[in-house]
Amino acid sequence: MKTIEETLLNRTSVRRYEYDKIPSETLDFIYRAIANTPTSYNGQQFSVIAIDDQSIKEELYAITNQKQIKTCATLLVFCADYHKIDILAQKKRIDNPHFENTLDGVMVGIIDAALAMQNAVVAAQAAGLGSCCVGYARTANPEKIAEILKLPEGTFVVCALTLGIPRESPDVKPKQPLSLVIHHNHYRTDDMAPELE
């Protein structure tokens, strides 16, 4: 396992992978990291579709044109999920106020799924795997992707994550300086243009 510093500060997006499968114990570690994601009120309003079926990956590649989707060992699709809470409400005969019909409710599911994906990215990186977030999985053709993944009502794709044994070692991309990212006590009021340039 890599150190926390190596994991967080040397992370890159890897789009080319070896053909090898990911060891099951490594996937189990990533899945446990996902399950331990901090979520709003511990509601866990997300689910993950883990895809290793090549034909499904190729169907998704045909929609997104993102080559790393068909060449990765495992594709994780992170979804906001209000279906599970609806099932439980029906089982317990409790009125479900359909939190997902509010802007805050939608944001909770999106944030929960995004936090889960970040946990997966960190776990994969620490385990020596490569990963790449694929936001286009959300917008390429939402209805068709939902159909392929058999998503029930109350769920939708937030982002996909490709995982695999890296075949490349990309450089860390340039990032904004901390002075533009971290604001102290209030948003900066001085001229940021020179630093942004």
Side-chain angles (χ1 to χ4, degrees):
M1 283 288 176
K2 295 181 182 177
T3 67
I4 290 289
E5 185 174 359
E6 289 172 318
T7 298
L8 294 176
L9 301 185
N10 296 326
R11 186 216 59 81
T12 61
S13 291
V14 173
R15 292 175 175 84
R16 296 181 68 222
Y17 304 102
E18 300 294 346
Y19 294 111
D20 307 15
K21 287 193 174 289
I22 298 168
S24 58
E25 59 274 8
T26 304
L27 282 174
D28 182 63
F29 166 62
I30 293 167
Y31 296 159
R32 287 184 291 120
I34 290 168
N36 196 39
T37 295
T39 61
S40 183
Y41 67 88
N42 197 32
Q44 302 168 59
Q45 309 288 267
F46 74 92
S47 286
V48 181
I49 314 294
I51 303 166
D52 57 10
D53 183 313
Q54 190 61 32
S55 64
I56 297 173
K57 290 189 290 177
E58 289 186 19
E59 275 189 90
L60 296 172
Y61 162 70
I63 294 168
T64 62
N65 202 32
Q66 300 289 306
K67 190 173 182 182
Q68 66 270 29
I69 285 178
K70 75 173 179 179
T71 61
C72 70
T74 301
L75 176 67
L76 302 180
V77 181
F78 291 80
C79 301
D81 187 347
Y82 303 96
H83 179 68
K84 292 184 285 190
I85 198 167
D86 201 40
I87 290 173
L88 187 59
Q90 288 176 28
K91 175 75 174 168
K92 292 185 169 264
R93 297 176 191 225
I94 298 170
D95 184 38
N96 182 357
H98 292 284
F99 184 45
E100 71 274 15
N101 293 336
T102 68
L103 178 58
D104 186 51
V106 171
M107 287 182 65
V108 163
I110 292 169
I111 292 167
D112 284 3
L115 288 169
M117 187 174 67
Q118 184 61 32
N119 267 19
V121 167
V122 171
Q125 183 80 13
L129 296 179
S131 67
C132 183
C133 301
V134 184
Y136 195 46
R138 174 181 60 254
T139 58
N141 187 335
E143 295 82 9
K144 184 64 178 169
I145 289 176
E147 179 187 318
I148 291 167
L149 300 180
K150 298 184 167 98
L151 297 184
E153 187 174 337
T155 63
F156 60 88
V157 173
V158 172
C159 200
L161 180 70
T162 61
L163 297 175
I165 297 166
R167 187 186 279 192
E168 63 180 357
S169 298
D171 292 332
V172 176
K173 289 185 179 174
K175 304 297 182 189
Q176 293 179 8
L178 290 179
S179 60
L180 289 172
V181 177
I182 309 297
H183 302 253
H184 292 278
N185 298 315
H186 58 77
Y187 199 91
R188 282 179 56 178
T189 56
D190 60 319
D191 182 13
M192 293 188 288
E195 289 169 85
L196 288 167
E197 288 178 323

